[in-house]
Amino acid sequence: MGTAYPQVADMLLELCVTELEDVATDSQSGRLSSQPVVVESSHPYTDDTSTSGTVKIAGAEGLRVEFDQQCSTERRHDPLTIMDGVNRIVSVRSGREWSDWSSQLRVPGDELKWKFISDGSVNGWGWRFTIYPIMPAAGPKELLSDRCILSCPSMDLVTCLLDFRLNLASNRSIVPRLAASLAACAQLSALAASHRMWALQRLRKLLTTEFGHN
């Protein structure tokens, strides 16, 4: 239809440019359905408690943990233990100084477990940490919902649609937007190498077509 009707070609080209712009601005690209998760104690925490929990973020290849600067517990008496998905201890945190909490953690895999135990000693403010998923450049989409996948910009869609000849489109004013979005995608580290190379090659073809450079 794009080859037979210039209006359809214009519509498809606009769709491609919009998709590329969404990818280039990192609108969910590389972070598919992967929002940070915050876990915290009560403030201040109570005596003689034992709490635990699990956080799992589908598709993550690792989890990065950052602690709040207000974190404060009685050293050694009230420890927070961070474990990976198979219950290996990654870190044990306690103390009243920021230096006791400031170093970041990286937990391999998509699951983190935590456990907090307090005794009857002096309490502190408690703890709070934020878990940021580390997503692979080409995330396993089969782990995501259909709705999430459909709402995300698709490089695969663009690579298929832009196969038709650009000179079929009558709206030439869109060419600068197309060039800019291709250039941005070619530099986007969240994209797979094959997609970055495709964007670079398509940009070169566009420039030679529009400006006659060889």
Side-chain angles (χ1 to χ4, degrees):
M1 291 181 66
T3 58
Y5 302 100
Q7 298 90 342
V8 174
D10 287 344
M11 180 188 68
L12 293 176
L13 187 56
E14 174 66 34
L15 173 62
C16 289
V17 171
T18 301
E19 289 287 297
L20 286 170
E21 288 173 342
D22 286 345
V23 171
T25 54
D26 202 20
S27 173
Q28 298 185 357
S29 178
R31 298 179 288 109
L32 301 176
S33 186
S34 57
Q35 298 303 309
V37 176
V38 177
V39 183
E40 61 185 311
S41 68
S42 57
H43 308 295
Y45 58 90
T46 56
D47 289 333
D48 301 313
T49 61
S50 177
T51 56
S52 61
T54 300
V55 175
K56 185 179 179 69
I57 302 179
E61 62 182 11
L63 302 172
R64 178 170 59 88
V65 181
E66 291 185 3
F67 292 92
D68 192 289
Q69 291 192 16
Q70 300 178 84
C71 288
S72 174
T73 68
E74 184 69 7
R75 182 183 297 276
R76 292 187 297 275
H77 290 275
D78 303 335
L80 173 65
T81 303
I82 305 293
M83 298 164 286
D84 63 15
V86 293
N87 295 315
R88 285 189 297 250
I89 294 177
V90 178
S91 180
V92 178
R93 300 291 174 101
S94 67
R96 299 191 180 279
E97 303 296 327
W98 172 230
S99 59
D100 297 321
W101 302 86
S102 58
S103 60
Q104 289 186 10
L105 291 180
R106 286 183 180 263
V107 178
D110 63 354
E111 187 174 10
L112 174 152
K113 299 180 180 181
W114 59 269
K115 178 175 62 177
F116 179 64
I117 298 175
S118 65
D119 61 14
S121 61
V122 179
N123 293 354
W125 178 82
W127 48 268
R128 176 192 293 139
F129 60 86
T130 304
I131 304 169
Y132 298 90
I134 303 169
M135 305 302 290
K141 294 185 174 63
E142 65 272 10
L143 296 178
L144 305 175
S145 67
D146 292 344
R147 181 176 182 179
C148 177
I149 294 173
L150 290 172
S151 68
C152 296
S154 171
M155 281 295 294
D156 292 331
L157 172 66
V158 176
T159 56
C160 290
L161 290 180
L162 276 184
D163 280 343
F164 69 84
R165 292 185 303 160
L166 288 176
N167 58 11
L168 293 171
S170 60
N171 182 12
R172 309 313 297 167
S173 63
I174 201 172
V175 171
R177 283 177 57 203
L178 176 59
S181 59
L182 284 170
C185 287
Q187 303 175 67
L188 189 61
S189 60
L191 287 180
S194 59
H195 282 154
R196 295 198 304 271
M197 183 58 67
W198 175 88
L200 190 61
Q201 292 172 343
R202 207 66 182 81
L203 176 62
R204 181 178 182 276
K205 183 176 181 180
L206 175 65
L207 293 176
T208 56
T209 300
E210 289 297 311
F211 302 106
H213 297 315
N214 295 317

